[in-house]
Amino acid sequence: MRLAGKVALITGAARGIGRGIALKFAQEGAKVGVLDVDELDSQGVVNDIVIEGGEGLALGADVTDPAQVLEAVRWLTLKFGPPTILVNNAAVMPSGRLHETSVEDFDRCLAVNLRGTYLVSRAVIPGMIDAGGGSIIHMSSVTGLRGLPGLAAYSATKGALIALARAMSTDYAPHGIRVNALAPGTIDSPMLHDFVAKQTDKARVRRQFDAMHPIGRVGTIEEVANVCLFLASDEASFVTGSTYSVDGGLSAKGEQPQD
Ligand SMILES: NC(=O)c1ccc[n+]([C@@H]2O[C@H](COP(=O)([O-])OP(=O)(O)OC[C@H]3O[C@@H](n4cnc5c(N)ncnc54)[C@H](O)[C@@H]3O)[C@@H](O)[C@H]2O)c1
């Protein structure tokens, strides 16, 4: 019960990594706001939380819409009190090199991944300040630290989230609010399954993902949720402005010299 009595807001929590974090936080005693554009699946996650004896609230909202974000935070605050844990996890991942990325895809990617993080943080921070502190986690990616091919727009947003976490950590440390970033490698998630399903040689692509990580496999949602739990909890009370890699060594790896 490492989050007993706390209120947490997780964006993009209807599936995948966000869902795993929402379930983990609820198991640790937090009351969880499950925010997603997909309201039906958000309610499904809340049902799963309740079945396990926890408490949650489904919040159907688009993180790119300032009014919807404010309304969602207002509902959560009315139901459980102001959130003192926020995980900015909602994201979209258009693929392609820069000149192949449409203006619409580029704008949407920045709107969800970066501007959405700004809008949700902005809506939550006044309540956190009044409460005397909190923990904010931006979900970045190994692509925010290292160049990987075919992910120009996505990588730009994930790098920006790391810079944003650092900047915010300096602004809000005096208020007891810690701000960190998490940078997962490839994770066994619906996003990965969708990608692999579109490939011709699915088994080979999947093997390549596993082999890319020095640990020899992709990560699990649980492994990301565990580190997120640490950053959200008081155990990380001296950790702010940091980026935690959860990538099986991918970002640490150098190139093997070839003959
Ligand atoms: N899966 C991976 O391998 C991996 C690796 C590194 C980082 N990440 C990051 O982890 C996070 C979660 O990834 P995932 O694999 O679970 O993705 P996912 O696509 O399965 O889930 C993303 C969720 O965000 C929601 N969402 C999208 N746009 C939204 C919006 N405008 N407003 C509200 N909700 C919105 C979607 O409905 C979905 O439920 C993302 O930030 C992603 O960039 C994932």
Side-chain angles (χ1 to χ4, degrees), residues 228-240:
C228 196
L229 169 62
F230 165 69
L231 290 173
S233 77
D234 293 339
E235 288 164 34
S237 51
F238 203 50
V239 181
T240 194

Side-chain angles (χ1 to χ4, degrees), residues 210-245:
D210 286 333
M212 190 165 85
H213 298 77
I215 279 185
R217 61 171 177 83
V218 301
T220 66
I221 287 174
E222 174 96 16
E223 286 170 324
V224 178
N226 283 339
V227 182
C228 196
L229 169 62
F230 165 69
L231 290 173
S233 77
D234 293 339
E235 288 164 34
S237 51
F238 203 50
V239 181
T240 194
S242 294
T243 300
Y244 272 58
S245 289

Side-chain angles (χ1 to χ4, degrees), residues 70-87:
L70 286 172
E71 190 61 7
V73 172
R74 196 176 72 83
W75 272 111
L76 182 63
T77 305
L78 274 176
K79 173 100 173 163
F80 294 139
T84 58
I85 298 169
L86 167 63
V87 184

Side-chain angles (χ1 to χ4, degrees), residues 12 14-17 36-37 61-63 89-92 108 112 139-141 154 158 184-187 189 191:
R15 70 172 204 168
I17 293 172
D36 205 289
V37 270
D62 185 330
V63 295
N89 170 79
V92 292
R108 182 74 191 156
V112 176
M139 192 60 73
S140 178
S141 157
Y154 179 78
K158 294 299 177 177
T186 311
I187 302 303
S189 60
M191 198 188 242

